[in-house]
């Protein structure tokens, strides 16, 4: 197995259902201090037909780590997994190819793999509530590699367990696939007069206040305001590659909940959500997700990715509350491979990894 790469402009990234591998996402992250670079992934040897050489492409985000080093982050990429059980070999070859094109100060490459986990079938069949321990996963990933250098990251860049609802069906069928309580709460919100409306960026400060309430109430770390602003600023320049929708649920003069949903190809991604601590009996969050599904469906999407849940019904998992809420909308839990590292400078990498671990343990 061998990989060739050809640098390209991020504007030339291929259309994709993966928002985080789009030109739009490159512009979002460039506003947050990253330097995006892109590459075509080519066949090992050129053919007489250049169009057949291309095996997809990949967006890489270069970000400062430490004083004089960079980390190379691949958000939900590469998109396509190799055939058979050669994932580790492919990532090793891809890493070695990237090294030849990246700055020498890059200390590690981190892949946030969108590929289905190789344990997904067994986890669903046996109702496992957690992935196998990292040591076991690393042994399997490195089989067939030359350097045994692939490490499971302490934290996943994006969620490895996500609830996805099929919205290609008629609305009646989507509703029928939900739990009875969720359908009831959607109807209750309507009967109570909850209204979901599109909003512009000038409403972002109000949403951010709700977001901080939600983070504090649920004990998860919150993003800075600039992360949300970057989504809208980049969209103003790159609205032709992805769509960004900002929805607010309200009752009379009260703001109940909000959501930021991005559309890329046939996929809709629930990026950020927030809800008020008060007036929760109005079921604003239920009305909001149903409105977002209907909107995404009207724009041609077939999937609504609701984001993080626990892999299974595990009350001690930090995402169990999200599991209970989101599984009410039906859908299936997609179990992905998560984030994997390819270290190049062990000292810098270990310092970054330790900081990851401290951040996770302290809840920062």
């Amino acid at each position: 197995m061998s990989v060739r790469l050809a640098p390209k402009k991020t504007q030339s990234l291929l259309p994709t259902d993966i928002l985080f591998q789009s030109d739009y996402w490159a512009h979002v992250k460039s506003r947050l201090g990253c330097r995006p670079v892109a590459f075509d992934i080519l066949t090992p040897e050129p053919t007489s037909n250049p169009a057949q050489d291309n095996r997809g492409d990949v967006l890489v985000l270069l970000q400062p780590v430490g004083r004089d080093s960079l980390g190379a982050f691949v958000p939900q990429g590469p998109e396509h997994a190799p055939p058979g059980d050669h994932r580790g070999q492919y990532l090793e070859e891809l890493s070695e190819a990237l090294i030849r094109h990246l700055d020498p100060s890059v200390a590690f490459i981190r892949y946030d793999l969108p590929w289905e986990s190789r344990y997904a079938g067994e986890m669903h069949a046996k109702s496992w509530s957690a992935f196998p321990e990292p040591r076991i996963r690393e042994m399997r990933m490195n089989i067939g590699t030359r350097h045994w250098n692939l490490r499971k990251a302490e934290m996943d860049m994006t969620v490895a367990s996500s609830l996805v609802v099929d919205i290609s069906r008629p609305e009646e069928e989507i509703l029928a696939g939900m739990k009875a309580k969720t359908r009831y709460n959607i109807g209750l919100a309507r009967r109570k007069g909850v209204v979901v409306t599109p909003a512009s960026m000038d409403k972002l400060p109000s949403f951010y206040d709700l977001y901080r309430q939600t983070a504090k109430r649920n004990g998860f770390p919150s993003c800075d305001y600039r992360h949300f602003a970057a989504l809208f600023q980049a969209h103003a320049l790159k609205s032709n590659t992805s769509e960004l929708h900002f929805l607010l649920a309200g009752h009379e003069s009260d703001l109940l909940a909000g959501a930021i949903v991005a559309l890329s190809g046939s996929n809709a991604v629930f990026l950020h959500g927030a809800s008020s601590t008060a007036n929760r009996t109005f079921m604003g969050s239920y009305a909001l997700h149903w409105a977002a599904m209907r909107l995404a469906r009207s724009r041609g999407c077939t999937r609504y990715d609701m984001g993080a849940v626990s892999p299974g019904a595990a009350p001690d998992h930090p995402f169990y509350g999200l599991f209970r809420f989101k599984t009410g909308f039906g859908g299936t839990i997609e179990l992905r491979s998560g984030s994997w590292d390819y270290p190049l400078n062990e000292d810098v990498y270990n310092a970054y990894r330790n900081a990851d671990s401290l951040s996770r343990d302290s809840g920062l």
Side-chain angles (χ1 to χ4, degrees):
M1 184 182 297
S2 182
V3 174
R4 288 189 302 124
L5 297 176
K8 63 190 295 186
K9 294 180 179 180
T10 61
Q11 296 95 312
S12 300
L13 283 164
L14 298 171
T16 177
D17 287 349
I18 299 180
L19 174 76
F20 307 102
Q21 280 290 304
S22 67
D23 180 39
Y24 164 68
W25 198 249
H27 279 76
V28 171
K29 301 304 285 188
S30 68
R31 291 178 173 273
L32 297 172
C34 294
R35 178 161 61 91
V37 293
F39 302 92
D40 277 320
I41 303 174
L42 306 176
T43 55
E45 297 296 334
T47 68
S48 58
N49 184 354
Q52 295 180 354
D53 287 349
N54 196 307
R55 293 189 173 180
D57 54 17
V58 64
L59 170 67
V60 182
L61 304 172
L62 302 178
Q63 178 179 325
V65 293
R67 183 180 301 174
D68 300 310
S69 300
L70 296 171
F73 297 87
V74 185
Q76 288 204 10
E79 182 172 357
H80 303 293
D85 201 17
H86 301 289
R87 295 183 176 188
Q89 294 168 275
Y90 176 69
L91 288 179
E92 182 180 66
E93 291 280 356
L94 179 59
S95 299
E96 294 297 320
L98 280 171
I99 291 168
R100 293 191 285 273
H101 292 277
L102 297 179
D103 191 291
S105 63
V106 170
F108 61 88
I109 303 168
R110 173 166 293 181
Y111 300 95
D112 186 47
L113 300 176
W115 311 336
E116 182 181 53
S117 170
R118 286 187 284 191
Y119 303 94
E122 195 170 7
M123 289 177 70
H124 285 307
K126 298 183 178 179
S127 299
W128 289 358
S129 59
F131 290 92
E133 62 179 285
R135 180 179 60 87
I136 300 298
R137 298 173 73 182
E138 288 176 354
M139 289 180 62
R140 184 171 183 180
M141 181 65 85
N142 280 287
I143 291 175
T145 64
R146 291 176 297 153
H147 304 299
W148 281 70
N149 194 37
L150 291 162
R151 325 274 179 88
K152 181 68 187 72
E154 289 282 333
M155 298 176 67
D156 292 317
M157 286 169 62
T158 57
V159 295
S161 308
S162 189
L163 195 286
V164 179
V165 179
D166 175 7
I167 57 172
S168 66
R169 301 163 293 163
E171 289 185 6
E172 296 77 11
E173 290 185 22
I174 299 172
L175 285 166
M178 298 180 186
K179 292 181 179 178
K181 183 178 180 181
T182 299
R183 285 197 303 274
Y184 175 82
N185 286 340
I186 291 171
L188 180 63
R190 183 181 65 253
R191 292 190 295 274
K192 284 179 173 280
V194 174
V195 178
V196 179
T197 56
S200 56
M201 189 178 173
D202 64 324
K203 296 292 186 181
L204 193 55
S206 298
F207 171 84
Y208 190 67
D209 286 342
L210 278 190
Y211 170 77
R212 289 192 298 178
Q213 287 182 36
T214 306
K216 183 177 180 180
R217 185 173 68 242
N218 293 289
F220 64 77
S222 58
C223 295
D224 293 338
Y225 182 86
R226 66 190 185 97
H227 289 269
F228 296 93
L231 294 171
F232 291 89
Q233 292 162 353
H235 185 254
L237 297 174
K238 284 291 167 187
S239 58
N240 60 320
T241 58
S242 300
E243 293 185 28
L244 190 71
H245 294 275
F246 183 24
L247 301 175
L248 295 177
H251 178 263
E252 297 180 349
S253 61
D254 294 324
L255 180 58
L256 304 178
I260 299 174
V261 179
L263 314 183
S264 187
S266 63
N267 201 38
V269 182
F270 174 64
L271 284 178
H272 297 286
S275 60
S276 172
T277 302
N279 297 321
R280 302 188 71 187
T281 58
F282 284 93
M283 304 300 168
S285 293
Y286 289 90
L288 195 67
H289 277 292
W290 178 232
M293 288 182 194
R294 297 182 70 197
L295 172 63
R297 186 174 176 276
S298 74
R299 303 297 295 168
C301 291
T302 59
R303 292 162 40 93
Y304 181 69
D305 188 335
M306 297 184 72
V309 291
S310 56
D316 58 341
H317 194 284
F319 292 160
Y320 179 61
L322 296 173
F323 172 91
R324 293 183 61 192
F325 172 70
K326 293 178 182 179
T327 54
F329 289 88
T332 57
I333 297 176
E334 292 191 355
L335 301 173
R336 300 166 186 154
S337 296
S339 296
W340 289 82
D341 297 337
Y342 193 84
L344 307 174
N345 182 320
E346 287 286 348
D347 290 339
V348 175
Y349 170 70
N350 287 331
Y352 186 85
R353 186 180 175 96
N354 290 338
D356 259 3
S357 181
L358 288 172
S359 175
R360 181 191 61 181
D361 292 343
S362 62
L364 297 177

